């Protein structure tokens, strides 16, 4: 099997090209889960002092981050339904509806 043609590939594409390979998502998700576990596990290594009692709980900031992230996602989906337009809103005058011709204007 021939290698892919890499002419015109930018530096970032060379660095992050491995992401497109099969099995790379498993590696990324596994790395994320391990990083999260280490982050929560780190809470056991020191004594926390917080203004509120909730700040002293194990994994409190991880839980807060997860809740904030999920809130942003759910809110964005709600806004999309509320203010979103139909896919064919612009109708026939839409630029992405035009066909590309092989002829070039010279």
């Amino acid at each position: 099997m021939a290698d892919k043609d890499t002419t015109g590939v930018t530096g970032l594409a060379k660095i992050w090209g491995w992401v497109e390979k099969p099995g790379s998502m498993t590696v990324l998700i596994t790395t994320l889960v391990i990083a999260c576990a280490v982050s929560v596990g780190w809470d056991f290594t020191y004594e926390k002092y917080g203004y509120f009692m909730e700040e002293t709980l194990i994994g409190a900031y991880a839980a807060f981050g997860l809740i904030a992230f999920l809130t942003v996602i759910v809110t964005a989906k709600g806004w999309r339904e509320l203010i979103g337009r139909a896919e064919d809103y612009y109708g026939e005058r839409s630029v992405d509806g035009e066909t590309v011709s092989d002829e070039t204007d010279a």
Side-chain angles (χ1 to χ4, degrees):
M1 187 170 162
D3 291 335
K4 288 184 178 179
D5 182 23
T6 57
T7 51
V9 175
T10 62
L12 283 177
K14 289 178 183 176
I15 294 171
W16 291 100
W18 65 272
V19 176
E20 295 180 357
K21 294 181 181 174
S24 63
M25 286 308 295
T26 304
V27 171
L28 286 173
I29 291 173
T30 303
T31 304
L32 179 63
V33 168
I34 290 171
C36 290
V38 168
S39 176
V40 171
W42 190 262
D43 279 350
F44 290 104
T45 63
Y46 63 95
E47 188 174 353
K48 293 187 272 184
Y49 301 96
Y51 188 76
F52 298 104
M53 187 271 307
E54 291 80 8
E55 291 179 281
T56 61
L57 298 174
I58 301 297
Y61 290 112
F64 174 76
L66 177 66
I67 291 168
F69 173 74
L70 293 176
T71 302
V72 168
I73 297 300
V74 170
T75 304
K77 285 187 174 193
W79 275 106
R80 181 177 183 218
E81 292 296 321
L82 185 65
I83 64 173
R85 295 184 174 153
E87 189 173 328
D88 60 347
Y89 176 78
Y90 291 103
E92 295 176 4
R93 295 176 45 182
S94 175
V95 175
D96 60 354
E98 296 177 7
T99 58
V100 178
S101 94
D102 291 335
E103 300 175 15
T104 57
D105 297 331

